Amino acid sequence: MRSSLLARSGLFVLLLFVSLLNTSFADGNLTLRMKHFSRPGAQPILMVHGLAENDRLWDGAPLANGQSNSMARFFYEQGFDVWVGNMRGAGTAGYRSDSPPGEAQRWTVEDYAIFDYPTLIQKVSQSTGQKVWVVTHSMGAWALEGALAGLEYDSHGNPVPNFDRGQKLSEKIRGVVSIAGIYNFSWNHSIQNITSSPVKNREDFYQSNYELELLSRMSAIYPLLHHIDRVSFQWVRSALGFRMNQIPWIGGQLASLYSSMQNGLIESPLLDMFFDSQNVTEEQIKSYGKDGLEDLNPRLLEQVANSILQQKTLSYFDGFPSANTYHYESVRSHRIQSVLRLPMLFVAGTHDRLANASMIFRDGYLATQAPDKDFIAVDAGHLDVINGLNARDRVWLPTMAWMRQH
């Protein structure tokens, strides 16, 4: 068991009523778009994605058996006014938010925190006249911490907190549900303690991510990221979405072979890092891969790698952190009032190798000095914690019940 799990780790290194709402940034150069499942007068919810994700995460297509694959539509059917936000450069057809002109996907978590989050929250709050429940996933939680700290750029372009700004934003928020949130990059079984605490079983495997740790140490490739516009996942989308039987005659002959190749990709360490194979169907993975997987921003990728090396969620830096590097965890301090008044629910997948449950419990739930908080652990991976086979009973229903109690 141990050898097979370690081998898998080393095989691959990183790789209804819907309306379109346009929201412009203050500089007028960028438009964010949201899906809106409109229920006027009801409690508004804003759902925000993470890295390489978009609105498809929250609004998956129905399965062939008719089973719902949409957390957004579920909450709408339960009486909520649901808004699904796309941050810059993300979104399915018709709901895609703009990329800043000339930036070639070179924004950072700070841009999400300083511009995108406040704009989305303010728009929903103004449109409804109510405080908003913010439900976020993965890197979305990282960026939200910056928004709640009131991050802004100083005259030198460095991100600095403005807690008055953060307080004003928090006054528009009723509470936060963080699902598979990134609060640190650390694993109980790390390459740093591989001799003293190696991976011995499947439980240990879910508390490790040797692939990302090794990749983050390949500093020689970082300069190359400055010369590319994006790290494309088009090949994944094409491989999962292509139908061989569309090809006349020979396509039917090759269909079974190509199906085996698709299944091989689905079972690869690349997708295993995102899904718990026991909690998701092949149909769900293919559906998500078609239009739910965004290309990677090279600067964001470098920011993640730097934060893995430092084992902290940090602002972007080129080379080495400096005195101007912002530490996102500072907003969890008891000294920061903006978070203290917000109810917070942390949801973690016990089979999540990107945002492992131990990290979320330690660095999210315990470290956040909010008096009204709770923690839920679910047998799920990073993406299927939201739309997996057990999501309705283990995540959607408990989350809704918790929100209605607050």
PDB file of all heavy atoms in Angstrom, residues 225-240:
ATOM      1  N   LEU A 225       8.068  31.441 -15.990  1.00  0.00           N
ATOM      2  CA  LEU A 225       6.674  31.835 -15.825  1.00  0.00           C
ATOM      3  C   LEU A 225       6.444  33.285 -16.231  1.00  0.00           C
ATOM      4  O   LEU A 225       5.337  33.669 -16.585  1.00  0.00           O
ATOM      5  CB  LEU A 225       6.234  31.627 -14.370  1.00  0.00           C
ATOM      6  CG  LEU A 225       6.235  30.181 -13.863  1.00  0.00           C
ATOM      7  CD1 LEU A 225       5.864  30.142 -12.388  1.00  0.00           C
ATOM      8  CD2 LEU A 225       5.278  29.314 -14.671  1.00  0.00           C
ATOM      9  N   HIS A 226       7.505  34.097 -16.171  1.00  0.00           N
ATOM     10  CA  HIS A 226       7.360  35.511 -16.516  1.00  0.00           C
ATOM     11  C   HIS A 226       7.214  35.718 -18.020  1.00  0.00           C
ATOM     12  O   HIS A 226       6.903  36.824 -18.465  1.00  0.00           O
ATOM     13  CB  HIS A 226       8.573  36.302 -16.016  1.00  0.00           C
ATOM     14  CG  HIS A 226       8.735  36.264 -14.529  1.00  0.00           C
ATOM     15  ND1 HIS A 226       9.780  36.878 -13.864  1.00  0.00           N
ATOM     16  CD2 HIS A 226       7.984  35.691 -13.550  1.00  0.00           C
ATOM     17  CE1 HIS A 226       9.669  36.682 -12.563  1.00  0.00           C
ATOM     18  NE2 HIS A 226       8.584  35.959 -12.357  1.00  0.00           N
ATOM     19  N   HIS A 227       7.449  34.658 -18.792  1.00  0.00           N
ATOM     20  CA  HIS A 227       7.440  34.800 -20.246  1.00  0.00           C
ATOM     21  C   HIS A 227       6.271  34.076 -20.911  1.00  0.00           C
ATOM     22  O   HIS A 227       6.226  33.962 -22.123  1.00  0.00           O
ATOM     23  CB  HIS A 227       8.754  34.269 -20.827  1.00  0.00           C
ATOM     24  CG  HIS A 227       9.964  35.001 -20.310  1.00  0.00           C
ATOM     25  ND1 HIS A 227      10.316  36.259 -20.739  1.00  0.00           N
ATOM     26  CD2 HIS A 227      10.881  34.646 -19.378  1.00  0.00           C
ATOM     27  CE1 HIS A 227      11.416  36.649 -20.107  1.00  0.00           C
ATOM     28  NE2 HIS A 227      11.768  35.693 -19.275  1.00  0.00           N
ATOM     29  N   ILE A 228       5.342  33.581 -20.112  1.00  0.00           N
ATOM     30  CA  ILE A 228       4.173  32.919 -20.685  1.00  0.00           C
ATOM     31  C   ILE A 228       2.909  33.612 -20.192  1.00  0.00           C
ATOM     32  O   ILE A 228       2.878  34.178 -19.100  1.00  0.00           O
ATOM     33  CB  ILE A 228       4.126  31.418 -20.323  1.00  0.00           C
ATOM     34  CG1 ILE A 228       4.088  31.207 -18.801  1.00  0.00           C
ATOM     35  CG2 ILE A 228       5.315  30.681 -20.931  1.00  0.00           C
ATOM     36  CD1 ILE A 228       3.954  29.761 -18.402  1.00  0.00           C
ATOM     37  N   ASP A 229       1.883  33.603 -21.034  1.00  0.00           N
ATOM     38  CA  ASP A 229       0.629  34.269 -20.680  1.00  0.00           C
ATOM     39  C   ASP A 229      -0.216  33.442 -19.733  1.00  0.00           C
ATOM     40  O   ASP A 229      -0.931  33.963 -18.898  1.00  0.00           O
ATOM     41  CB  ASP A 229      -0.184  34.565 -21.944  1.00  0.00           C
ATOM     42  CG  ASP A 229       0.453  35.641 -22.793  1.00  0.00           C
ATOM     43  OD1 ASP A 229       1.291  36.388 -22.259  1.00  0.00           O
ATOM     44  OD2 ASP A 229       0.132  35.719 -23.986  1.00  0.00           O
ATOM     45  N   ARG A 230      -0.131  32.115 -19.879  1.00  0.00           N
ATOM     46  CA  ARG A 230      -0.971  31.257 -19.055  1.00  0.00           C
ATOM     47  C   ARG A 230      -0.455  29.826 -19.136  1.00  0.00           C
ATOM     48  O   ARG A 230       0.250  29.453 -20.067  1.00  0.00           O
ATOM     49  CB  ARG A 230      -2.428  31.302 -19.524  1.00  0.00           C
ATOM     50  CG  ARG A 230      -2.674  30.684 -20.900  1.00  0.00           C
ATOM     51  CD  ARG A 230      -4.044  31.031 -21.425  1.00  0.00           C
ATOM     52  NE  ARG A 230      -4.163  32.457 -21.672  1.00  0.00           N
ATOM     53  CZ  ARG A 230      -5.306  33.069 -21.948  1.00  0.00           C
ATOM     54  NH1 ARG A 230      -6.424  32.376 -21.979  1.00  0.00           N
ATOM     55  NH2 ARG A 230      -5.348  34.353 -22.181  1.00  0.00           N
ATOM     56  N   VAL A 231      -0.823  29.029 -18.121  1.00  0.00           N
ATOM     57  CA  VAL A 231      -0.561  27.591 -18.140  1.00  0.00           C
ATOM     58  C   VAL A 231      -1.882  26.942 -18.539  1.00  0.00           C
ATOM     59  O   VAL A 231      -2.831  26.915 -17.756  1.00  0.00           O
ATOM     60  CB  VAL A 231      -0.089  27.084 -16.764  1.00  0.00           C
ATOM     61  CG1 VAL A 231       0.148  25.584 -16.810  1.00  0.00           C
ATOM     62  CG2 VAL A 231       1.176  27.815 -16.337  1.00  0.00           C
ATOM     63  N   SER A 232      -1.960  26.462 -19.782  1.00  0.00           N
ATOM     64  CA  SER A 232      -3.231  26.044 -20.358  1.00  0.00           C
ATOM     65  C   SER A 232      -3.613  24.632 -19.945  1.00  0.00           C
ATOM     66  O   SER A 232      -2.788  23.722 -19.917  1.00  0.00           O
ATOM     67  CB  SER A 232      -3.168  26.131 -21.879  1.00  0.00           C
ATOM     68  OG  SER A 232      -4.384  25.681 -22.441  1.00  0.00           O
ATOM     69  N   PHE A 233      -4.917  24.466 -19.661  1.00  0.00           N
ATOM     70  CA  PHE A 233      -5.495  23.156 -19.414  1.00  0.00           C
ATOM     71  C   PHE A 233      -6.387  22.742 -20.584  1.00  0.00           C
ATOM     72  O   PHE A 233      -7.235  21.864 -20.442  1.00  0.00           O
ATOM     73  CB  PHE A 233      -6.320  23.161 -18.123  1.00  0.00           C
ATOM     74  CG  PHE A 233      -5.500  22.980 -16.877  1.00  0.00           C
ATOM     75  CD1 PHE A 233      -5.730  23.777 -15.766  1.00  0.00           C
ATOM     76  CD2 PHE A 233      -4.509  22.024 -16.824  1.00  0.00           C
ATOM     77  CE1 PHE A 233      -4.988  23.609 -14.605  1.00  0.00           C
ATOM     78  CE2 PHE A 233      -3.759  21.850 -15.676  1.00  0.00           C
ATOM     79  CZ  PHE A 233      -3.998  22.639 -14.563  1.00  0.00           C
ATOM     80  N   GLN A 234      -6.178  23.383 -21.736  1.00  0.00           N
ATOM     81  CA  GLN A 234      -7.002  23.067 -22.890  1.00  0.00           C
ATOM     82  C   GLN A 234      -6.891  21.595 -23.271  1.00  0.00           C
ATOM     83  O   GLN A 234      -7.860  20.979 -23.707  1.00  0.00           O
ATOM     84  CB  GLN A 234      -6.604  23.946 -24.082  1.00  0.00           C
ATOM     85  CG  GLN A 234      -7.425  23.697 -25.349  1.00  0.00           C
ATOM     86  CD  GLN A 234      -8.908  23.917 -25.136  1.00  0.00           C
ATOM     87  OE1 GLN A 234      -9.310  24.891 -24.490  1.00  0.00           O
ATOM     88  NE2 GLN A 234      -9.734  23.032 -25.673  1.00  0.00           N
ATOM     89  N   TRP A 235      -5.702  21.028 -23.093  1.00  0.00           N
ATOM     90  CA  TRP A 235      -5.508  19.621 -23.447  1.00  0.00           C
ATOM     91  C   TRP A 235      -6.357  18.715 -22.565  1.00  0.00           C
ATOM     92  O   TRP A 235      -6.865  17.695 -23.023  1.00  0.00           O
ATOM     93  CB  TRP A 235      -4.029  19.242 -23.348  1.00  0.00           C
ATOM     94  CG  TRP A 235      -3.469  19.314 -21.958  1.00  0.00           C
ATOM     95  CD1 TRP A 235      -2.971  20.405 -21.319  1.00  0.00           C
ATOM     96  CD2 TRP A 235      -3.352  18.227 -21.028  1.00  0.00           C
ATOM     97  NE1 TRP A 235      -2.559  20.097 -20.043  1.00  0.00           N
ATOM     98  CE2 TRP A 235      -2.779  18.756 -19.846  1.00  0.00           C
ATOM     99  CE3 TRP A 235      -3.673  16.871 -21.073  1.00  0.00           C
ATOM    100  CZ2 TRP A 235      -2.522  17.975 -18.734  1.00  0.00           C
ATOM    101  CZ3 TRP A 235      -3.427  16.098 -19.954  1.00  0.00           C
ATOM    102  CH2 TRP A 235      -2.848  16.642 -18.806  1.00  0.00           C
ATOM    103  N   VAL A 236      -6.538  19.104 -21.290  1.00  0.00           N
ATOM    104  CA  VAL A 236      -7.391  18.319 -20.393  1.00  0.00           C
ATOM    105  C   VAL A 236      -8.843  18.439 -20.844  1.00  0.00           C
ATOM    106  O   VAL A 236      -9.574  17.444 -20.930  1.00  0.00           O
ATOM    107  CB  VAL A 236      -7.239  18.787 -18.935  1.00  0.00           C
ATOM    108  CG1 VAL A 236      -8.200  18.013 -18.030  1.00  0.00           C
ATOM    109  CG2 VAL A 236      -5.806  18.600 -18.459  1.00  0.00           C
ATOM    110  N   ARG A 237      -9.274  19.667 -21.137  1.00  0.00           N
ATOM    111  CA  ARG A 237     -10.654  19.883 -21.579  1.00  0.00           C
ATOM    112  C   ARG A 237     -10.930  19.123 -22.874  1.00  0.00           C
ATOM    113  O   ARG A 237     -11.988  18.510 -23.039  1.00  0.00           O
ATOM    114  CB  ARG A 237     -10.903  21.383 -21.768  1.00  0.00           C
ATOM    115  CG  ARG A 237     -10.863  22.179 -20.472  1.00  0.00           C
ATOM    116  CD  ARG A 237     -11.363  23.599 -20.685  1.00  0.00           C
ATOM    117  NE  ARG A 237     -10.394  24.404 -21.427  1.00  0.00           N
ATOM    118  CZ  ARG A 237      -9.454  25.149 -20.845  1.00  0.00           C
ATOM    119  NH1 ARG A 237      -9.348  25.166 -19.527  1.00  0.00           N
ATOM    120  NH2 ARG A 237      -8.624  25.884 -21.569  1.00  0.00           N
ATOM    121  N   SER A 238      -9.966  19.155 -23.793  1.00  0.00           N
ATOM    122  CA  SER A 238     -10.158  18.469 -25.070  1.00  0.00           C
ATOM    123  C   SER A 238     -10.201  16.959 -24.879  1.00  0.00           C
ATOM    124  O   SER A 238     -11.029  16.261 -25.467  1.00  0.00           O
ATOM    125  CB  SER A 238      -9.036  18.840 -26.042  1.00  0.00           C
ATOM    126  OG  SER A 238      -9.051  20.227 -26.324  1.00  0.00           O
ATOM    127  N   ALA A 239      -9.296  16.451 -24.051  1.00  0.00           N
ATOM    128  CA  ALA A 239      -9.225  14.999 -23.847  1.00  0.00           C
ATOM    129  C   ALA A 239     -10.483  14.463 -23.188  1.00  0.00           C
ATOM    130  O   ALA A 239     -10.970  13.385 -23.532  1.00  0.00           O
ATOM    131  CB  ALA A 239      -7.998  14.652 -23.007  1.00  0.00           C
ATOM    132  N   LEU A 240     -11.031  15.223 -22.225  1.00  0.00           N
ATOM    133  CA  LEU A 240     -12.221  14.758 -21.519  1.00  0.00           C
ATOM    134  C   LEU A 240     -13.488  14.967 -22.330  1.00  0.00           C
ATOM    135  O   LEU A 240     -14.458  14.234 -22.179  1.00  0.00           O
ATOM    136  CB  LEU A 240     -12.350  15.495 -20.173  1.00  0.00           C
ATOM    137  CG  LEU A 240     -11.311  15.149 -19.110  1.00  0.00           C
ATOM    138  CD1 LEU A 240     -11.518  16.013 -17.874  1.00  0.00           C
ATOM    139  CD2 LEU A 240     -11.381  13.676 -18.735  1.00  0.00           C
TER     140      LEU A 240
END
